[in-house]
Structure formats: C-alpha cells, structure tokens
Amino acid sequence: MVDAYVWGKVDRISPEAPVPIVSCVKRESRLGGAANVALNIKSLGASPILCSVIGEDEKGKEFLNLLTEIEEEQYGIVVSNKRRTTVKTRFISNNQHLIRVDEEDTHELADEIEAEFIDHIKSLIEKHEIHAIIFEDYDKGVITKNLIDEIVHLANSKAIPVAVDPKKRHYNDYKNVSLFKPNFKEFVEGSNLLLEKGDIHGLFDEAKKFQNEMGIKKLFITLSELGVFISNEKTYEHIPAVVRQIADVSGAGDTVISVAALCLATGMNARQIAAISNLAGGIVCEIPVVVPINKDQLLAESSKIIDKL
C-alpha cells in the first residue's frame, strides 16, 4: 500500500464545523503496509522479495515508482484491474497525527487472480534461496486461506521458517507456522479470552493451549506499554518496554515482525528474538512518520543488552 502524508499548519478552527483547518505545507508518498516490512528488511541488510497484488491505477503506478526509487525488485508484484491500490493518507501538524483517510478494496482476490498469485509465489520460492517467509496480513483480501495453506505447506516441506503478523479474518488459519505475532488485543479477541494484559502467567497458560491447537512453535505477543511476551510452549519470556518519547506508533508492528523474522532466520533463541524486536519497535515509535528501522541504532542498542540474553 501507499502511505501518503500531508504536513500542514493549524492556526484556526473551521467556521463550517468544529474541526481544525490544515494549511498544507508539504505532501509525500512512501511505501506502506507489507512494503514497509520489506523496507525494514532491506535496511537491516537482507534482500526482501515483496509479493502482493496492487491495482492497475495511478496509485499502483506510484507504488511501483516508489519501489524503483529504492532499487527494490518488482517481480513479486501482480497487477490487477479488479482492485484498487490501497492508500492511507495521514494529515500531520506539529508532529501530531490529526486524521487518516483510507482508499481501498478489502474483498478477497477473485479466483483466477488468487490462483495466479499463489503460483507466482511458489515459483519465486523454487527459484530463489529463501531463508524466511513473512505473512504481513492487513485484512485487505490479498491473503486468502488457500494462499496460507499452500505457501505454509511448501515452506514447511523446505524447512523455511514462517513468521506471521495476523489480522482477524484469517487469524485461525495460520497453522503450523514458526512464529505468530498478534498484539494483545488481537490475541484475546481471536481466542475469545477474558484476560487482563498484566496477567503474564495467565497469558502463558492460554498461549500454551493456543500453540498446541495451532501447531505454532513460537507465540510472540506485543503488549504495547508492557513490552512483549514470547512462548515456545515449554517456557516463556516477558520483556518490559523501554521508556521512550513516543511520537507515532504507526509502522511499529511492521518493524517488529521484520526484526523477529530475521532473528528467527539466524537461529536466535526466543528471548533474543523478543528483546531485539522490542527494541526495534520502540526506536521507530520515536519518529512521527512510518520509517524503517535504522540498522546502526538497533545494533548499538542491542549490543548493550546482548550479554544479558
């Protein structure tokens, strides 16, 4: 998707309604959604292959141009005249996020496009040496149950770890994956639980049940101000949040799943995955726009805690 930004000044309230008038100073478009995950992976030194379906429209062309600007390959992208390219436009004044306007289609892919997309991803997995696969799910209809089943099965047959950042529609379809990363709200709603966020022992009890039912190796739950939780069924780790000056949480989840997947691919243990991903999510929240993680900053901050992990 495209993340569009409108920066402006607010000096008065509209006489037409009790809303601020934003005097536009600057506009900018950036890669968003799963493309932001790819940006994070690229910024950390790995080579992402971004796979998605975009619209055959002006915003789709803009999206491809943005990929070209960062020298990111486009061969994973399928263009369809049956969808709109998703655009999220954020209005910002004095580092404050005022409002967001979304333009999108969220219906699932038509059967022929779904089949084309699945075959396309399979061919990329066969042609390239893949170290990890990330499902960055935004409930926009591009990820379907058929796609999940077929790609996870292929990945497991090749011993490729699969990391998932889920949403509600397909929450219970991600079976037998390596790492599953909902936030706390998604976990309790997806599992129909009555659980307090601070009840870490209770969270572990429910995590074990969920992992056993779903065949998930590592359950990684973000707890916002309480940090992160990770379970491998037998043990769990709770990593507290690092105190920071939060400017914007947009894109933090993208950064966390990107770092977690790379840590997973390199064979790090659960505590290391959780702690380094937790740091990365906090770092990007200090910036009032969606940006990829800065590798040097993450390395510097990780080096201070690595001996404790």
Coordinates of all heavy atoms in Angstrom, one line a residue, residues 6-11 21-22 91-98:
V6 N 0.3 14.4 4.5 CA 0.1 15.8 4.2 C 0.5 16.5 5.5 O -0.1 16.3 6.6 CB -1.4 16.1 3.9 CG1 -1.6 17.6 3.7 CG2 -1.9 15.3 2.7
W7 N 1.5 17.3 5.4 CA 2.0 18.1 6.5 C 1.5 19.5 6.4 O 1.4 20.1 5.3 CB 3.5 18.2 6.6 CG 4.2 17.0 7.1 CD1 4.4 16.7 8.5 CD2 4.7 15.9 6.4 NE1 5.1 15.5 8.6 CE2 5.3 15.0 7.4 CE3 4.8 15.5 5.1 CZ2 5.9 13.8 7.0 CZ3 5.4 14.4 4.7 CH2 5.9 13.5 5.7
G8 N 1.0 20.1 7.5 CA 0.5 21.4 7.4 C 0.5 22.1 8.8 O 0.9 21.6 9.8
K9 N 0.0 23.4 8.8 CA -0.1 24.2 10.0 C -1.6 24.3 10.3 O -2.5 24.4 9.5 CB 0.5 25.5 9.8 CG 2.0 25.5 9.5 CD 2.5 26.9 9.3 CE 4.0 26.9 9.0 NZ 4.5 28.3 8.7
V10 N -1.9 24.3 11.6 CA -3.2 24.5 12.1 C -3.2 25.8 12.9 O -2.6 25.9 14.0 CB -3.7 23.3 13.0 CG1 -5.1 23.7 13.6 CG2 -3.8 22.1 12.1
D11 N -3.9 26.8 12.4 CA -4.0 28.1 13.1 C -5.4 28.5 13.5 O -5.6 29.4 14.3 CB -3.5 29.2 12.2 CG -2.0 29.0 11.8 OD1 -1.2 28.7 12.7 OD2 -1.6 29.2 10.7
I21 N -8.5 23.5 10.6 CA -8.2 23.8 9.2 C -6.7 23.6 9.0 O -5.9 24.2 9.8 CB -8.5 25.2 8.8 CG1 -10.0 25.4 8.8 CG2 -8.0 25.5 7.4 CD1 -10.5 26.9 8.5
V22 N -6.3 22.7 8.2 CA -4.9 22.4 7.9 C -4.4 23.1 6.7 O -4.9 22.8 5.6 CB -4.7 20.8 7.7 CG1 -3.2 20.6 7.5 CG2 -5.2 20.1 8.9
F91 N -2.8 13.1 7.9 CA -2.6 14.6 8.0 C -1.9 14.9 9.3 O -2.4 14.4 10.4 CB -4.0 15.3 7.9 CG -4.7 15.2 6.6 CD1 -5.3 14.0 6.2 CD2 -4.6 16.3 5.7 CE1 -5.9 14.0 4.9 CE2 -5.2 16.2 4.5 CZ -5.9 15.0 4.1
I92 N -0.8 15.6 9.2 CA 0.0 15.8 10.4 C 0.3 17.3 10.6 O 0.6 18.0 9.6 CB 1.4 15.1 10.3 CG1 1.1 13.6 10.2 CG2 2.3 15.4 11.4 CD1 2.3 12.7 9.8
S93 N 0.2 17.8 11.8 CA 0.6 19.2 12.1 C 1.3 19.2 13.5 O 0.8 18.6 14.4 CB -0.7 20.0 12.2 OG -0.4 21.4 12.6
N94 N 2.4 19.9 13.5 CA 3.2 20.0 14.8 C 3.5 18.6 15.4 O 3.4 18.4 16.6 CB 2.5 20.9 15.8 CG 2.4 22.3 15.3 OD1 3.3 22.8 14.7 ND2 1.2 22.9 15.6
N95 N 3.9 17.7 14.5 CA 4.2 16.3 14.9 C 3.0 15.6 15.5 O 3.2 14.5 16.1 CB 5.4 16.3 15.9 CG 6.7 16.5 15.1 OD1 6.8 16.3 13.9 ND2 7.7 16.9 15.9
Q96 N 1.8 16.1 15.3 CA 0.6 15.4 15.8 C -0.2 14.8 14.6 O -0.4 15.5 13.6 CB -0.3 16.4 16.5 CG 0.3 16.9 17.8 CD 0.4 15.8 18.9 OE1 -0.5 15.0 19.1 NE2 1.6 15.8 19.5
H97 N -0.6 13.6 14.7 CA -1.4 12.9 13.7 C -2.8 13.3 13.9 O -3.5 12.9 14.9 CB -1.2 11.4 13.9 CG -1.7 10.5 12.9 ND1 -1.3 9.3 12.6 CD2 -2.7 10.7 12.0 CE1 -1.9 8.7 11.7 NE2 -2.8 9.6 11.3
L98 N -3.4 14.1 13.0 CA -4.8 14.6 13.1 C -5.8 13.7 12.6 O -6.9 13.5 13.3 CB -4.9 16.0 12.4 CG -3.9 17.1 12.8 CD1 -4.1 18.3 11.9 CD2 -4.0 17.4 14.2

